[in-house]
Each structure stands twice: as structure tokens, then as C-alpha cells.
Amino acid sequence: MPQADKQPIPFASFRPLEQELDADLRAAFARVYANSWYISGQEDAAFEAAFAAFCGVRHCVGCGNGLDALVLILKAMGIGPGDEVLVPSNTFIATVLAVSYAGAAPVLVEPQPDTFNIDPARIEAAVTPRTKAVIAVHLYGQCADMDPILAVARRHGLKVIEDAAQAHGARYRGRRAGSLGDAAGFSFYPGKNLGALGDAGCVTTNDPALAARVRALGDYGSDAKYHHIYKGQNSRLDELQAAFLAAKLPHLDRMNAARRDIAARYLAGITNPAVKLPAVASDCEPVWHVFAVRCEQRDALEAHLAAAGIGTNKHYPTPIHLQGAYAEWGLGPGSYPLAEQISATELSLPMYYGMTGAQVQAVIDAVNAFAP
């Protein structure tokens, strides 16, 4: 049990950031409320412009959430029934659900075991005449190895979509996530590095025609009021969430820098040989949405940290091909061994803006004290 004189350390907490930005967030609410305009107004337009500039792209289109962002991209690219889309075998299920919702077939590709991201060397072998796109997930806040992925895509005429839901502000060879492929989908779920106070998402791209199709598809397929050119859906970024995001965006690089400082302390301080630390690619600057370690005795480590009052999480304990949602694939254990190994051994340590030095050291000490 945690010592009586010590406070538990949560896996994540919004409080430090919310307390710091309390006045700005309240002012954002008051501004929207006073304006009495709640959908597709000036707050949305202002945030879209600011986030496009932040990512280094020409266009940003707000939408309801990160899953919708990926669905809208696929539909805007004309990808649907009869098509295949390559996706990582190790990712959150939303990446694969987006392909299913678009009517296409997801094809799983195993990850690099050190970075957890899709393995570019395995992509080409998975391409068939039906393959139309690759979704590269920037898992845990580190960009996938995009240049070789783009090279394979160019050879086969494939679109490259970034699932950047965990990578707000991350860089690959100096360029921001969201600017590396043909389009990118972001989630602004509250727990993300840039989080709304509810569900929200967006699409970024340098393609003006694609941006226009995404915007129309997310607004009932409409390019003008009561004029519907597509069978669209309702997925728009509301004014209130856009205002909250705009209040947080100027602080994102600073908040990400604080996460990198925490990660650096973990990487230097955790020396337990039973715990494998995450790898950082030399050409990447991750933003550490998740600090994922691996341990063959993962459940015992989880219990040990819980007894010390330290919160953890597992990303993700059951791989997609073993989920009931995709039972029709008929795949059993051993089908994607790398994804299964990661699922069975991954444990995420506390990582959030506002962690104190004492809290970080307490996590380090507790991990190092683990004796399997």
C-alpha cells in the first residue's frame, strides 16, 4: 500500500494545466457564449488557421473526433468497397475502424519492435493490386519512419495517411506530424497532448481539393447550404471546443518540452534490467503522449507500482486481430506475433504536463525497486 504521508501519483492528470490556463479557458467560454454562435463560426476558422500554421500545412478542417478525421480522409480520397488499406497491427482500434467504416478492407502490417510503429520494411510485401493507401500511426507520440513509407507508396501509387492522434507537435526530420503525408487525422480527445474539453478532431493537408471534400463530407455532404454533393455525415468542430483548443495551442510546444524532460529523466534513471525502455529514433523528436515500457512480468510490475500508489495503463492489452469486433477474420493467437508480444508486455508509466520532480523520481525509484 502507498505510504500514508505520500499522495498517489496518477497515470495522468489534467489539473496542473487546467489550473494554469483557467482564466484563458473561462475567457474562451465567455467569448463563445456571448457571441451566441456555436457551430462553424469564427472560433473554428481561427483555430483551423492557427493549427494549420503550427503543423506547417496549407489546410486544416475541424471535425467531431479523430476517428471521423480518418474516415473523412478515406472517403475524400475515394477509398471504399473493394479497396485495401495497410494499417499497423499494433495500434488503437480506431485506426482500423476507420477503414471498415469507409467500406474498405484493413490489412495489418507488423511494427518495429523498438519504436512500436509500423515497419516500413514489411509494407511492400503487403501491397496487392487492391491496395490504395497506407495509414502510418505515430504511436505514443513518436513519428513513424515516413521517408521509406513514402518511397514504397510512390512506387505503388498509394496514398499515405498519418494517424497523428497521439503526436501533436512531434517532428520527423524537422517537419511536424500532420505535414508528412497526403493528409493527417488528429484527435483532440481531452487526454491528448493538445486536448479539448470534450471530443474533437481535425484533418490537415496541403491538398486544397481534398480539404474541400473533407469539409463537405463532414457537413452532410454540402458545399453550400441545402446543396448536397456527397452522401456526407455530421462531423464538425464546434465553436466552444475550437475556442478551448485555440487557448491551449500557444502553450503546446512548452507543454511538450516538459514531457520530454520527464521522458529524459525516465530514460536516464530507470536501470532495472527487467524493464525495457522505449527507443527514440535519431531523426525523430517525440512528444511522449505515452511513455511505454516493456516487461515480461508486466502484470507483476503493474501490481508493484499500484501498491506504491503509482497509476499505470496498458496500450493496448488485446491486439486488434484478437478483438471480438474482428472475429470474422478468424485469426487466432500467433497470427501477428509482434503485436501480441507488445500487447502482453507493454506498460505505460505516468506522463503528463505538471508532474513534479519528486513524482518523477518516485516513479523511477519504484520501477527500479521491482524484483520479478
Side-chain angles (χ1 to χ4, degrees), residues 167-229:
H168 314 73
R171 295 181 188 271
Y172 174 81
R173 298 184 176 175
R175 297 172 59 198
R176 298 267 199 193
S179 70
L180 304 170
D182 294 294
F186 284 88
S187 166
F188 299 120
Y189 181 77
K192 304 299 185 184
N193 291 39
L194 180 62
L197 273 65
D199 269 325
C202 80
V203 171
T204 59
T205 183
N206 282 311
D207 183 338
L210 181 67
R213 287 194 293 274
V214 166
R215 190 177 297 281
L217 283 165
D219 190 19
Y220 299 98
S222 174
D223 62 344
K225 190 164 182 141
Y226 302 133
H227 186 251
H228 305 274
I229 56 176

Side-chain angles (χ1 to χ4, degrees), residues 159-359:
K159 296 292 187 181
V160 176
I161 301 165
E162 298 171 70
D163 182 339
Q166 300 182 6
H168 314 73
R171 295 181 188 271
Y172 174 81
R173 298 184 176 175
R175 297 172 59 198
R176 298 267 199 193
S179 70
L180 304 170
D182 294 294
F186 284 88
S187 166
F188 299 120
Y189 181 77
K192 304 299 185 184
N193 291 39
L194 180 62
L197 273 65
D199 269 325
C202 80
V203 171
T204 59
T205 183
N206 282 311
D207 183 338
L210 181 67
R213 287 194 293 274
V214 166
R215 190 177 297 281
L217 283 165
D219 190 19
Y220 299 98
S222 174
D223 62 344
K225 190 164 182 141
Y226 302 133
H227 186 251
H228 305 274
I229 56 176
Y230 307 115
K231 296 181 180 69
Q233 62 195 77
N234 176 17
S235 182
R236 298 169 296 191
L237 175 61
D238 72 66
E239 288 286 276
L240 189 57
Q241 299 304 336
F244 289 145
L245 290 166
K248 288 184 174 184
L249 181 59
H251 305 275
L252 180 56
D253 279 335
R254 176 173 60 84
M255 294 186 293
N256 284 340
R259 287 175 176 263
R260 281 193 291 273
D261 288 344
I262 296 167
R265 288 194 60 186
Y266 281 161
L267 291 169
I270 295 174
T271 58
N272 191 326
V275 177
K276 183 176 181 181
L277 296 170
V280 179
S282 60
D283 46 13
C284 289
E285 185 180 89
V287 292
W288 299 105
H289 175 62
V290 166
F291 191 91
V293 302
R294 291 181 63 188
C295 179
E296 293 297 326
Q297 299 81 24
R298 187 267 307 280
D299 293 346
L301 174 60
E302 179 184 34
H304 166 79
L305 294 176
I310 295 170
T312 59
N313 205 339
K314 296 187 283 287
H315 295 90
Y316 301 95
T318 303
I320 292 165
H321 66 282
L322 299 180
Q323 296 278 1
Y326 286 100
E328 72 267 21
W329 290 348
L331 298 174
S335 301
Y336 290 91
L338 288 175
E340 292 170 31
Q341 290 168 18
I342 293 170
S343 292
T345 59
E346 190 276 341
L347 190 68
S348 302
L349 302 183
M351 171 61 73
Y352 56 91
Y353 175 78
M355 279 189 77
T356 67
Q359 288 176 317

